[in-house]
Amino acid sequence: MLVTRGYESMSKRSSYRKEIDGLRAFAIITVIINHFNKDLLPGGYLGVDIFFVISGFVITSSFNNRKSENFIDFISQFYERRIKRLVPALSVFVIIVSILICLLNPYPSVSLLTGLTSLIGISNIYLIQQATEYFSQSTELNVFIHTWSLGVEEQFYLVFPFLIWFSGFGRQTKNGSRNLFLSVGTLTIASLIWFVYLYPTNQVLAYFSIPSRFWEMAS
């Protein structure tokens, strides 16, 4: 977080950050290699964690120097940008892949439900309810399982803009940056403690849920 997600909302003084896209590419490639062959890069799944940190950085930067005095305008403009950025591509992807999976998989229901829930940003919650082990062999036929991370990010979007506004950072008040740092820092510590506590007993919940992933985007 303390570090920013939409280049479209960077300050006019800001320039395109090549290194951010480079880090994103690196994170994605490590995950792809890990899925292709775990022996080639056993820790490649950590690319997801890297991507979460990048997302927190970019989304925070998108609010920097975007001063607003009206809460409704502030929130509505943010969600309008997010919807335009995410929904069209995701919808096309889910529709096309759903058609293909129905042709190729005789039992497509789990994949289809995962894809459907991804359209409303809750595929991670659906996978938690199904007690899905991400690294289990049974997930290999679920073509939409990777959308869980998008669900986590979208749920982050439900919380973070309000922290931005009520801390004063979104209004660029005198102590806005300090208030944001303190509030997000407190939530980061709480989230990390929760993750450490939860992981040994419920890895599914620790892996897929926003409370146990918040600390990465807030880092």
Side-chain angles (χ1 to χ4, degrees):
M1 156 245 155
L2 299 177
V3 235
T4 315
R5 170 165 198 157
Y7 294 118
E8 76 279 5
S9 52
M10 289 283 194
S11 154
K12 292 182 179 179
R13 295 177 298 172
S14 300
S15 59
Y16 171 67
R17 303 289 298 273
K18 293 181 180 179
E19 70 275 21
I20 297 298
D21 268 351
L23 284 171
R24 279 175 162 168
F26 172 78
I28 292 170
I29 290 171
T30 60
V31 174
I32 291 174
I33 293 174
N34 177 263
H35 279 280
F36 178 73
N37 189 330
K38 292 182 176 63
D39 294 330
L40 290 177
L41 194 61
Y45 62 88
L46 293 175
V48 175
D49 305 84
I50 295 172
F51 203 93
F52 278 151
V53 175
I54 295 171
S55 294
F57 172 78
V58 177
I59 200 63
T60 308
S61 295
S62 73
F63 287 113
N64 191 33
N65 295 322
R66 181 181 286 275
K67 184 177 181 180
S68 178
E69 299 295 338
N70 186 297
F71 175 73
I72 300 300
D73 288 343
F74 174 80
I75 292 295
S76 61
Q77 288 176 16
F78 170 76
Y79 288 123
E80 180 183 2
R81 294 195 303 273
R82 292 298 92 201
I83 289 170
K84 287 181 178 178
R85 185 176 179 86
L86 297 175
V87 172
L90 179 62
S91 299
V92 171
F93 166 72
V94 170
I95 291 171
I96 293 176
V97 175
S98 294
I99 294 172
L100 292 175
I101 199 65
C102 286
L103 297 175
L104 300 173
N105 187 346
Y107 307 104
S109 58
V110 173
S111 281
L112 294 177
L113 285 171
T114 306
L116 181 63
T117 53
S118 74
L119 293 175
I120 53 176
I122 59 170
S123 59
N124 61 317
I125 297 175
Y126 170 74
L127 293 169
I128 291 172
Q129 292 176 336
Q130 299 300 308
T132 303
E133 290 282 353
Y134 185 82
F135 297 103
S136 68
Q137 191 172 6
S138 62
T139 64
E140 293 180 357
L141 294 179
N142 188 343
V143 295
F144 294 115
I145 192 169
H146 63 284
T147 62
W148 74 270
S149 60
L150 184 59
V152 169
E153 290 198 32
E154 290 177 354
Q155 289 151 36
F156 179 74
Y157 297 157
L158 295 178
V159 176
F160 195 59
F162 291 90
L163 290 175
I164 291 284
W165 177 265
F166 289 110
S167 68
F169 184 82
R171 290 165 284 155
Q172 296 185 18
T173 59
K174 180 180 179 180
N175 296 320
S177 296
R178 185 197 66 179
N179 294 340
L180 181 64
F181 179 84
L182 293 175
S183 59
V184 173
T186 301
L187 291 172
T188 299
I189 295 171
S191 173
L192 179 57
I193 292 173
W194 176 243
F195 175 81
V196 172
Y197 169 79
L198 189 64
Y199 190 80
T201 57
N202 193 332
Q203 292 186 4
V204 172
L205 190 60
Y207 193 90
F208 288 119
S209 67
I210 179 62
S212 55
R213 289 287 187 172
F214 182 90
W215 67 274
E216 294 184 314
M217 285 176 280
S219 292

